[in-house]
Amino acid sequence: MAGLHMIRSYLSESEDSDTQDESKINRDEVPSSGKNLLQRFSVPESILSFKGTKHDEDVHDDPSQHDGRTRTFKHERGNWATLVYINYAGSNPIHSWLRKLPQQIAIKEDLKFYTEFHLSLTRCLVLKFHWIKSFVESLQKLCQSTGEIVVEFRDLKVYCNEERTRTFLGIRCEGRNKLLEQFVVNIDKILAEYQLPSFYEEASFHISILWCLGDVTEKLNAWLPTLNESLNSIYAEHFLHSFEVSKINCKIGNKMYTFPLKQRYT
């Protein structure tokens, strides 16, 4: 099986460098020994279809099916979109406050409100198929050696993606005693082994609560004083200043991994 993975990895990396589809390879140009090797070590369908999309199917981006959102990078076979993050379930007071937000923001853009919340610990990454196992093992090992993290809420902040195609409103967060920040530094060390980009140099941890298409940073910034005042009153009234993190989530393609942090002993 190790030889099979090496052959598949070699072919996958060749695709990336040449942007050439395997189906278009001119078999007449392959030496006879190479033809025999390809035939002898044909990759099982179970592996080729592992990522949940047929291996010979082109994936087309259709923004109309995703509220106008577009991919930030091209989909390619063997590449797996990856994100490491913390789930935030929210609380009744926060959910109640969110339901009233549409009446508090008077802009013409169509605002989309999240129903599930998370705090990103990496950028959206691209993992090669043959990196997944070792990456998951490294992340799991890091979590096993990291104690529970306490995330503290701060004010609201407006964010815009690098392509300026979407704007977000998020609750800014910080780790108590800088444990969250140190954890991300350790994740970055893992990413460096795969020459993947680290988290943002001036990281602003946040939980996005709404978004809209385009760059409307200036418009949303105008509403921040009012929104922060109402959110701060929720914090004070219900003592909602932080939440504890006991596990880390990692989504790789259509696969979800959950890693518990080291338990705190009393």
Side-chain angles (χ1 to χ4, degrees):
M1 288 299 292
L4 175 61
H5 286 303
M6 291 177 65
I7 292 171
R8 181 56 183 166
S9 299
Y10 173 80
L11 292 176
S12 177
E13 291 174 354
S14 298
E15 280 186 341
D16 294 335
S17 60
D18 299 335
T19 61
Q20 181 180 19
D21 194 306
E22 283 184 58
S23 62
K24 296 178 182 178
I25 294 177
N26 187 343
R27 300 289 175 173
D28 294 333
E29 297 178 359
V30 181
S32 58
S33 59
K35 293 180 184 178
N36 293 336
L37 188 64
L38 289 172
Q39 293 171 355
R40 187 181 308 167
F41 293 103
S42 58
V43 182
E45 181 67 26
S46 60
I47 293 179
L48 292 175
S49 61
F50 178 68
K51 62 177 178 294
T53 301
K54 292 183 179 179
H55 69 280
D56 59 349
E57 176 184 324
D58 290 331
V59 178
H60 300 284
D61 181 31
D62 184 358
S64 65
Q65 297 187 11
H66 305 283
D67 293 319
R69 291 172 292 179
T70 57
R71 287 182 178 273
T72 56
F73 52 84
K74 182 181 177 182
H75 175 90
E76 293 183 14
R77 290 179 298 164
N79 287 351
W80 291 59
T82 301
L83 181 69
V84 181
Y85 63 96
I86 294 169
N87 264 334
Y88 174 60
S91 61
N92 289 334
I94 292 294
H95 286 293
S96 178
W97 177 77
L98 287 171
R99 285 194 292 269
K100 299 175 183 177
L101 270 188
Q103 290 77 40
Q104 298 185 51
I105 306 176
I107 64 175
K108 66 179 182 179
E109 281 75 14
D110 184 17
L111 300 177
K112 308 287 186 181
F113 290 81
Y114 289 100
T115 56
E116 297 180 351
F117 310 101
H118 73 273
L119 192 162
S120 296
L121 302 180
T122 65
R123 302 175 187 240
C124 189
L125 307 167
V126 179
L127 281 185
K128 299 293 184 184
F129 175 84
H130 53 285
W131 293 347
I132 294 176
K133 185 175 184 293
S134 60
F135 178 82
V136 168
E137 289 175 347
S138 296
L139 186 57
Q140 182 180 35
K141 184 177 180 181
L142 173 60
C143 291
Q144 289 173 342
S145 63
T146 302
E148 291 182 343
I149 296 170
V150 176
V151 174
E152 298 182 336
F153 296 122
R154 294 292 182 257
D155 55 355
L156 292 166
K157 186 175 179 179
V158 177
Y159 300 86
C160 192
N161 65 0
E162 293 177 305
E163 298 77 23
R164 318 306 291 183
T165 58
R166 285 205 291 162
T167 307
F168 307 82
L169 180 63
I171 301 175
R172 196 168 58 86
C173 302
E174 292 181 3
R176 184 176 296 172
N177 299 324
K178 300 298 181 181
L179 291 179
L180 175 64
E181 290 77 359
Q182 183 57 51
F183 183 67
V184 170
V185 168
N186 292 333
I187 294 178
D188 286 345
K189 292 177 182 178
I190 296 175
L191 298 179
E193 298 176 8
Y194 302 90
Q195 296 184 332
L196 291 171
S198 60
F199 203 47
Y200 302 98
E201 186 174 347
E202 297 182 3
S204 177
F205 297 103
H206 63 278
I207 298 171
S208 293
I209 57 178
L210 66 83
W211 65 275
C212 66
L213 294 175
D215 183 356
V216 296
T217 305
E218 186 175 345
K219 292 182 180 180
L220 283 180
N221 274 331
W223 289 93
L224 280 186
T226 300
L227 297 177
N228 273 317
E229 184 179 352
S230 65
L231 181 59
N232 286 332
S233 66
I234 296 295
Y235 291 162
E237 182 180 353
H238 299 280
F239 303 99
L240 296 173
H241 301 288
S242 64
F243 70 99
E244 293 186 353
V245 179
S246 60
K247 59 186 178 181
I248 301 298
N249 298 280
C250 178
K251 192 172 190 300
I252 304 178
N254 62 348
K255 305 293 182 182
M256 184 69 70
Y257 301 87
T258 301
F259 307 112
L261 297 178
K262 182 173 64 176
Q263 292 186 351
R264 181 171 52 196
Y265 296 99
T266 57

